[in-house]
Amino acid sequence: DAKTTQPPSMDCAEGRAANLPCNHSTISGNEYVYWYRQIHSQGPQYIIHGLKNNETNEMASLIITEDRKSSTLILPHATLRDTAVYYCIVRITDSWGKFQFGAGTQVVVTP
Amino acid sequence: NAGVTQTPKFRVLKTGQSMTLLCAQDMNHEYMYWYRQDPGMGLRLIHYSVGEGTTAKGEVPDGYNVSRLKKQNFLLGLESAAPSQTSVYFCASSSQGAGSETQYFGPGTRLLVL
């Protein structure tokens, strides 16, 4: 199973871009990279996912390296409401439905 | 469209008591999941279901039972609660299990076992 490594915490100034790194060096060719976030006391919220190509939606951008061993989630203009724990997850293809959540990165956006 | 809802939101139990947590989704999703989250930790999968009438064990199934009698509902049961089951429980659902799919989570149920 591909595992992910994320920094435990990071700070970001309001209005600036937040770049959240994730290492997944053992990822298989058909495994997706997902990002979720969890705002305090709430259920996790889907942000974005991708396989090989970079992806963008209204919330964020996902940059995946060519070798797929790492990725970066970009929040283009962080707001105070983006303060949350961000989880990088590699989808386990042999056990459908199962997402393995690690400890994530605690992001604190400051004024 | 309420998405995924969970009842109750909060519950206090004494050791040995039983209870059932209810998860409901109105998105016609086939797949449903129960996770638990302990303080400072990520989510761990307890049980999941790939369709009405089916259930399967996740990472931490001991002490829990589940049932999926209706497609829209997924019940998590604690037959004899223990303090180690104090946690926040999240339910999730998704439209498909394999490949590219998104899980939608409920707001959580906070359980305290004394």
Side-chain angles (χ1 to χ4, degrees), chain A residues 3 75 107 110:
Chain A
K3 298 213 183 327
L75 307 177
V107 173
T110 55

Side-chain angles (χ1 to χ4, degrees), chain A residues 32 34 36 38 41-44 46 49 87 91 96-103, chain B residues 31 33 35 37 42-43 45 48 50 57 90 97 99-103 105-106 110:
Chain A
Y32 287 80
Y34 282 80
Y36 278 78
Q38 188 173 23
S41 300
Q42 298 181 21
Y46 167 80
H49 73 283
Y87 296 99
R91 184 61 194 284
W96 9 297
K98 294 183 182 181
F99 279 77
Q100 289 219 329
F101 285 79
Chain B
Y31 298 79
Y33 319 87
Y35 293 87
Q37 185 174 35
L43 282 73
L45 184 66
Y48 65 103
V50 301
K57 294 180 179 180
F90 290 101
S100 172
E101 53 90 26
T102 300
Q103 291 191 6
F105 285 81
R110 284 154 183 74

Side-chain angles (χ1 to χ4, degrees), chain A residues 21-35:
Chain A
C22 179
N23 287 322
H24 31 78
S25 58
T26 59
I27 191 171
S28 299
N30 57 351
E31 290 182 313
Y32 287 80
V33 179
Y34 282 80
W35 283 85

